[in-house]
Amino acid sequence: MLRVTASKQDIERELSGLLLDWYDSHARSLPWRAPPGENAPAPYRVWLSEVMLQQTTTAAAAPYFRKFTERWPDVEALAAASEEDVMAAWAGLGYYSRARNLIACARQVVALGGFPKKETELRKLPGLGAYTSAAIAAIAFGERAVVVDANVERVVSRLFAIEEPLPTSRKTIRAKADIITPDKRAGDFAQAMMDLGASVCSSRDPQCLLCPLSGACMGRAAGDPARLPVKPPRKVKPERKGAAYWIEREGKVWLVRRRRAGMLGGMRALPDDGWSAQADGSGNPPLEGEWHPAGMVRHVFTHASLELSVYRHEGGIDPKGDGEWWPIMGIEDAGLPTLFAKAARLVLV
């Protein structure tokens, strides 16, 4: 257990040393990382990976990261890309405002002549919050920055036995994380904390016997580290109903572009009946005529669950409004978001 009388320097030296020694032997191999102790990765790769990892698992983000960096190997290449191409390449990662911010940020970085090195300056870029800015500053530039993601929240909450529930405990968590963040190897330390939370100090079954910090962990000493951090009761998500419409003609399907504002904004999609997180759809199809039910798909968004009925129409009538006829054989290249990709697969089975 940490000594109450220990100074900040003593705590920092003890815990950061133990964790960095563990990281040197147990660091995860990830496509955006440099091995422990080596030269820092390019800020572009750190930034891109951190944006992708917001609300996305490491396993899901890795193949997207590889595809993005093959197609757009640096920030200048990404800044020159069309928003349409980037949105299509992002399809499936969700939270599409991140993709729009990605383009805006890349263009601003190019205009600045490169990524700022300081955390405070990084915060001014589109889409970069406290965590992402700190992560880039620490990992890419070696700046001492306090990096706190969900994994770090869990480790720190247990290490210091923080009983205050989330999200109100975040100020305390950050203060405690600040105490143990070292001046040197801040980037390795941040990644070590993330790896510890992901692989050892897991949410349901912490492997305390494998943890390099177990001897200092107040949560373990109290006997039940898994109950920390304390979380508020989950809110029940509203359940919405809507419909999507597959309009097919001569080997092509009619796709529309969703409004920039709102769910899945700016993405190619099948026409729908106006459902949203706030309300069910109208049930009114975009064309008159005979519609054949193709089935139903379910999808969970941040603020609502959706039950989407899919209908199919074949004929020579041109739909009203803006859209495009897309070759069905190349539907995977349309960059449909996951919900509409599910609907397409349902029709094409």
Side-chain angles (χ1 to χ4, degrees):
M1 183 179 294
L2 291 174
R3 291 174 289 121
V4 174
T5 57
S7 68
K8 172 185 179 296
Q9 290 76 18
D10 289 339
I11 294 172
E12 173 189 309
R13 190 179 302 112
E14 179 182 356
L15 294 183
S16 63
L18 289 170
L19 187 60
L20 286 169
D21 286 346
W22 173 85
Y23 182 67
D24 287 342
S25 301
H26 296 87
R28 290 181 293 176
S29 178
L30 299 172
W32 46 81
R33 275 195 185 170
E38 295 193 6
N39 292 333
Y44 171 70
R45 296 178 70 84
V46 179
W47 163 69
L48 182 60
S49 68
E50 291 299 341
V51 174
M52 287 184 170
L53 288 166
Q54 296 169 16
Q55 308 294 332
T56 306
T57 65
T58 300
Y64 280 87
F65 178 85
R66 293 188 181 95
K67 290 177 183 177
F68 261 73
T69 50
E70 288 172 3
R71 187 170 182 180
W72 301 295
D74 52 40
V75 71
E76 289 81 11
L78 185 58
S82 71
E83 181 173 304
E84 181 178 282
D85 286 345
V86 174
M87 294 293 282
W90 190 271
L93 273 175
Y95 298 88
Y96 294 97
S97 61
R98 291 182 297 166
R100 290 191 293 273
N101 282 332
L102 202 69
I103 286 287
C105 184
R107 291 171 180 169
Q108 189 165 328
V109 167
V110 170
L112 291 171
F115 281 92
K117 295 182 178 180
K118 298 296 182 182
E119 181 182 0
T120 53
E121 294 302 310
L122 287 163
R123 283 290 300 272
K124 298 176 183 178
L125 295 174
L128 269 65
Y131 164 74
T132 309
S133 301
I136 297 170
I139 298 169
F141 298 114
E143 297 291 316
R144 186 189 183 279
V146 182
V147 183
V148 182
D149 69 352
N151 284 318
V152 177
E153 282 183 349
R154 184 165 57 255
V155 172
V156 172
S157 293
R158 292 171 178 173
L159 187 60
F160 292 94
I162 298 171
E163 297 285 347
E164 189 179 14
L166 290 168
T168 54
S169 62
R170 286 189 172 132
K171 184 176 180 180
T172 302
I173 291 170
R174 182 175 177 80
K176 296 297 186 182
D178 189 11
I179 290 175
I180 62 175
T181 298
D183 293 329
K184 296 182 179 179
R185 293 189 69 185
D188 280 349
F189 179 80
Q191 293 173 113
M193 288 286 278
M194 296 175 201
D195 281 9
L196 188 70
S199 61
V200 175
C201 196
S202 54
S203 57
R204 295 185 179 179
D205 187 23
Q207 306 296 306
C208 296
L209 294 178
L210 302 178
C211 180
L213 307 182
S214 61
C217 182
M218 297 179 181
R220 185 190 183 211
D224 188 13
R227 70 180 184 83
L228 298 171
V230 179
K231 297 180 180 179
R234 286 189 177 184
K235 295 182 179 179
V236 177
K237 291 184 179 181
E239 297 184 0
R240 304 300 182 198
K241 295 182 183 294
Y245 302 98
W246 179 276
I247 306 170
E248 183 177 329
R249 186 179 72 181
E250 298 176 353
K252 296 181 179 180
V253 60
W254 182 254
L255 300 181
V256 298
R257 182 77 63 175
R258 293 180 65 83
R259 294 183 301 110
R260 287 183 62 86
M263 300 174 74
L264 310 179
M267 301 296 292
R268 286 194 188 98
L270 299 176
D272 64 36
D273 62 348
W275 57 266
S276 70
Q278 291 74 40
D280 293 341
S282 66
N284 297 323
L287 290 175
E288 294 181 358
E290 187 175 355
W291 289 92
H292 305 281
M296 180 185 296
V297 295
R298 291 177 173 84
H299 195 75
V300 179
F301 294 98
T302 305
H303 302 298
S305 298
L306 176 67
E307 190 177 85
L308 189 72
S309 298
V310 183
Y311 297 92
R312 180 172 183 165
H313 179 282
E314 296 182 21
I317 304 174
D318 276 330
K320 295 179 181 179
D322 294 332
E324 57 186 320
W325 289 106
W326 194 274
I328 294 174
M329 293 296 293
I331 193 66
E332 292 184 358
D333 298 324
L336 296 178
T338 301
L339 170 65
F340 291 103
K342 289 180 184 178
R345 287 195 294 270
L346 185 66
V347 172
L348 296 174
V349 167

